[in-house]
Amino acid sequence: MAVPKHLEEAVARLTEASLRIEQARTKPATLENLQAWLVALTDFSTALSEVQEYNNESIHEKLHEIAARVGLRRFPASGTKQK
């Protein structure tokens, strides 16, 4: 699946989890409601992480496209530090 499609799905999960968090916050603080809030918060955190990951991947792909257009044979250029 293409990066934009993955990103769209992650954003949809992020939005859905955000709504569940808001719903859980309006309910009384029972164990069941706190568990629902925690599950929604976990889903939100996971989706947010995926959004960041796919954004980084998309930027990386775009940088490679730009490097190819300007004629760089190697990207990143020699002498740059990589982790």
Side-chain angles (χ1 to χ4, degrees), residues 9-58:
E9 290 179 358
V11 168
R13 286 192 308 277
L14 185 70
T15 303
E16 190 270 332
S18 181
L19 292 173
R20 290 188 348 225
I21 289 169
E22 287 304 314
Q23 290 172 349
R25 290 177 70 192
T26 62
K27 296 179 181 176
T30 65
L31 286 178
E32 185 178 291
N33 291 339
L34 289 174
Q35 182 180 16
W37 173 78
L38 187 56
V39 168
L41 186 59
T42 301
D43 292 345
F44 180 90
S45 297
T46 302
L48 182 58
S49 175
E50 290 176 4
V51 166
Q52 291 173 332
E53 178 183 339
Y54 295 131
N55 277 336
N56 288 343
E57 190 173 332
S58 177

